[in-house]
Amino acid sequence: MAKILAKESGLPIIVVNPDYPEGKLIKFFKSFTTPVCVLFDEVEKNFKTEYMLDFLDGVEKTAQKLVIMTCNDLSKVSQYMQDRCSRIRYLRRYSPDENAAFLPMLADDFGIKNKEEVVKFCKENIKLLSMDNIVSFMSEVKMLEDEDISLQEIINIMNISTENIPTKVSDTVEYDDECDDCDECNDGYDDYECCDAA
């Protein structure tokens, strides 16, 4: 979501690496006046949010910089950053259902050939329409779009919960404990049991 907003800004985007020292952020962003979009992904996990006010004060005084921060757990963000409208003007909470509006744009970004079919399939089948699930699924669809594999087959093998679609027994691998002296058993490794995938 944040990356989409950043892209929509039309500004050059700087994604801040969590390993970059917080103390050097202010100095770096003060070193130029070009308007940019600064993206902090999962700020509560990757950054010490109690020090972010200093960064925001420094950035505010230098140039036009759009700062976007993503957060999965607002309770883990420093209390000093909350209710500080002069530093953080907008706070937007998104529910996964709202992500459906971004499906066509994401399909375009991936260059998916059967866009309408994929968008409809996502809306009807992905139980949690998180950006992570959507992007992962579309990435897989793009990678496999020239293969003879259905959208249903793709999602069945992914770690994505689906709406009322039970995993088929045929999608799981079952092993038979008994062996019929296949080639694998005759390799000199008597200590290991061989099994045929059903």
Side-chain angles (χ1 to χ4, degrees):
M1 180 68 69
K3 291 175 185 171
I4 293 170
L5 293 172
K7 219 171 144 183
E8 290 288 312
S9 75
L11 297 169
I13 301 168
I14 298 174
V15 179
V16 180
N17 184 327
D19 295 329
Y20 195 82
E22 280 107 349
K24 294 185 177 183
L25 282 174
I26 297 171
K27 185 177 180 183
F28 172 75
F29 283 104
K30 280 186 174 181
S31 69
F32 61 92
T33 57
T34 306
V36 295
C37 178
V38 183
L39 179 59
F40 291 90
D41 195 25
E42 296 186 345
V43 71
E44 83 283 14
K45 292 180 189 175
N46 297 318
F47 301 94
K48 295 176 184 159
T49 58
E50 60 269 20
Y51 301 117
M52 296 298 287
L53 282 180
D54 290 339
F55 165 76
L56 293 171
D57 285 341
V59 167
E60 182 182 40
K61 295 172 185 167
T62 58
Q64 295 178 359
K65 293 181 176 66
L66 172 63
V67 178
I68 298 176
M69 299 178 189
T70 68
C71 171
N72 293 318
D73 187 351
L74 194 57
S75 69
K76 293 183 179 177
V77 172
S78 169
Q79 64 180 357
Y80 303 113
M81 287 182 64
Q82 299 186 39
D83 289 320
R84 300 294 290 264
C85 197
S86 65
R87 307 303 196 307
I88 299 174
R89 181 62 53 112
Y90 306 104
L91 174 64
R92 176 74 159 98
R93 291 176 177 88
Y94 291 94
S95 71
D97 293 337
E98 292 176 279
N99 292 334
F102 295 97
L103 287 167
M105 187 181 348
L106 287 166
D108 285 340
D109 286 351
F110 276 99
I112 290 177
K113 294 175 186 174
N114 53 337
K115 172 183 159 180
E116 290 80 17
E117 179 187 357
V118 171
V119 167
K120 182 177 184 223
F121 183 87
C122 288
K123 287 179 181 177
E124 292 176 356
N125 294 284
I126 297 178
K127 191 171 192 172
L128 178 65
L129 273 175
S130 66
M131 280 296 170
D132 184 47
N133 285 345
I134 294 168
V135 169
S136 296
F137 180 70
M138 287 197 180
S139 174
E140 198 77 11
V141 168
K142 181 63 181 173
M143 183 174 62
L144 298 170
E145 72 182 351
D146 293 327
E147 302 296 323
D148 186 24
I149 186 169
S150 71
L151 297 175
Q152 188 62 57
E153 290 171 309
I154 293 171
I155 206 164
N156 282 350
I157 60 171
M158 295 186 74
N159 184 23
I160 297 176
S161 296
T162 55
E163 292 289 346
N164 302 320
I165 302 172
T167 303
K168 296 180 282 184
V169 175
S170 62
D171 292 337
T172 61
V173 177
E174 295 179 10
Y175 294 99
D176 183 0
D177 289 338
E178 295 185 23
C179 178
D180 295 331
D181 287 333
C182 65
D183 291 338
E184 292 175 64
C185 288
N186 295 323
D187 60 5
Y189 295 100
D190 294 332
D191 294 330
Y192 299 99
E193 289 185 291
C194 174
C195 54
D196 295 323

